[in-house]
Amino acid sequence: DVKVTQSSRYLVKRTGEKVFLECVQDMDHENMFWYRQDPGLGLRLIYFSYDVKMKEKGDIPEGYSVSREKKERFSLILESASTNQTSMYLCATSQSNSNQPQHFGDGTRLSIL
Amino acid sequence: RKEVEQDPGPFNVPEGATVAFNCTYSNSASQSFFWYRQDCRKEPKLLMSVYSSGNEDGRFTAQLNRASQYISLLIRDSKLSDSATYLCVVNKGNTPLVFGKGTRLSVIA
């Protein structure tokens, strides 16, 4: 069974802080993704990675960066947190074949005050 | 046309009813299709893949209509525990999956 672990279930930070969200998977999946989910807007892709040290912008990368130094870990970084980044953040993984489904972590509910 | 479109609902149905959701997609080259289920304040979870010939998993049946570019999910004998949001998911070639915004189902006793 795929296990995708996000570092925090709930997180509260202040405006202007640098925020790190961590995601670790144990299934040796090549692909990893970061989404945010807001009411009425559905899942929106922030960044994704198909390999170590590789990253691609998703639909809403502004204000975010990512790091993939090891295959099993994909970090999302909010360079200078703002209140409009308050959201549910979801990490997902999948096997290298693009036809494979994605498996999600439990999510991190992030509040920026 | 949006890449993946779903009726947001909510669909309110009594226990035991049969309910069906449709989802349309815009990219005719799409090859993989899935239904996910998401409970309130939880992560999406894979419910089932959708195969060209249609497929069934217990009370759930998924079908694909390539000519009209839609997929469907049929739930028979609805249970209270089926209450959730159902997300339609489509691939568009060698890029990340595209998620619909979901259809909300409430099964009422």
Side-chain angles (χ1 to χ4, degrees):
Chain A
D1 213 15
V2 178
K3 182 70 174 171
V4 182
T5 303
Q6 294 187 227
S7 52
S8 305
R9 196 84 168 90
Y10 299 94
L11 202 55
V12 180
K13 295 291 182 181
R14 295 205 175 274
T15 303
E17 279 193 72
K18 191 167 186 175
V19 181
F20 293 85
L21 302 183
E22 305 287 346
C23 177
V24 178
Q25 50 105 354
D26 67 355
M27 285 302 292
D28 204 33
H29 282 178
E30 287 76 16
N31 305 337
M32 297 189 76
F33 309 85
W34 274 108
Y35 295 87
R36 63 179 283 177
Q37 188 174 33
D38 302 285
L41 297 178
L43 282 164
R44 291 184 291 168
L45 182 63
I46 305 171
Y47 267 97
F48 61 100
S49 170
Y50 284 165
D51 202 352
V52 176
K53 297 200 186 291
M54 177 268 182
K55 61 184 178 184
E56 293 276 354
K57 292 180 179 179
D59 299 317
I60 52 161
E62 296 78 20
Y64 303 93
S65 63
V66 289
S67 172
R68 186 133 182 236
E69 294 297 317
K70 293 185 178 181
K71 188 175 186 179
E72 67 270 20
R73 185 181 295 269
F74 193 35
S75 304
L76 180 69
I77 303 150
L78 284 66
E79 297 292 344
S80 177
S82 62
T83 54
N84 63 12
Q85 292 179 309
T86 292
S87 186
M88 168 74 120
Y89 288 87
L90 289 155
C91 173
T93 76
S94 70
Q95 293 177 343
S96 58
N97 186 327
S98 63
N99 292 332
Q100 294 299 310
Q102 293 176 1
H103 303 272
F104 287 84
D106 290 344
T108 296
R109 194 163 289 278
L110 175 64
S111 295
I112 306 297
L113 304 179
Chain B
R1 183 179 178 184
K2 293 180 183 174
E3 291 183 82
V4 178
E5 285 198 79
Q6 297 183 251
D7 182 341
F11 284 61
N12 299 312
V13 302
E15 271 187 293
T18 296
V19 62
F21 312 131
N22 279 347
C23 161
T24 58
Y25 61 94
S26 60
N27 189 337
S28 59
S30 296
Q31 295 185 343
S32 299
F33 309 88
F34 309 95
W35 283 103
Y36 279 68
R37 171 199 168 119
Q38 186 172 24
D39 293 293
C40 189
R41 302 178 77 82
K42 295 286 186 75
E43 78 277 18
K45 292 185 178 177
L46 179 66
L47 179 65
M48 59 197 302
S49 302
V50 185
Y51 302 121
S52 298
S53 54
N55 49 299
E56 194 173 298
D57 183 1
R59 297 180 294 108
F60 298 84
T61 300
Q63 294 201 311
L64 167 64
N65 185 318
R66 284 192 186 276
S68 300
Q69 293 183 210
Y70 75 84
I71 66 172
S72 63
L73 178 67
L74 181 81
I75 306 174
R76 289 182 300 278
D77 188 23
S78 298
K79 312 289 185 193
L80 294 175
S81 57
D82 293 334
S83 296
T85 297
Y86 291 84
L87 306 176
C88 168
V89 185
V90 177
N91 91 325
K92 52 170 187 174
N94 195 27
T95 55
L97 299 176
V98 180
F99 287 77
K101 293 183 179 180
T103 297
R104 194 151 57 94
L105 171 66
S106 290
V107 181
I108 305 160

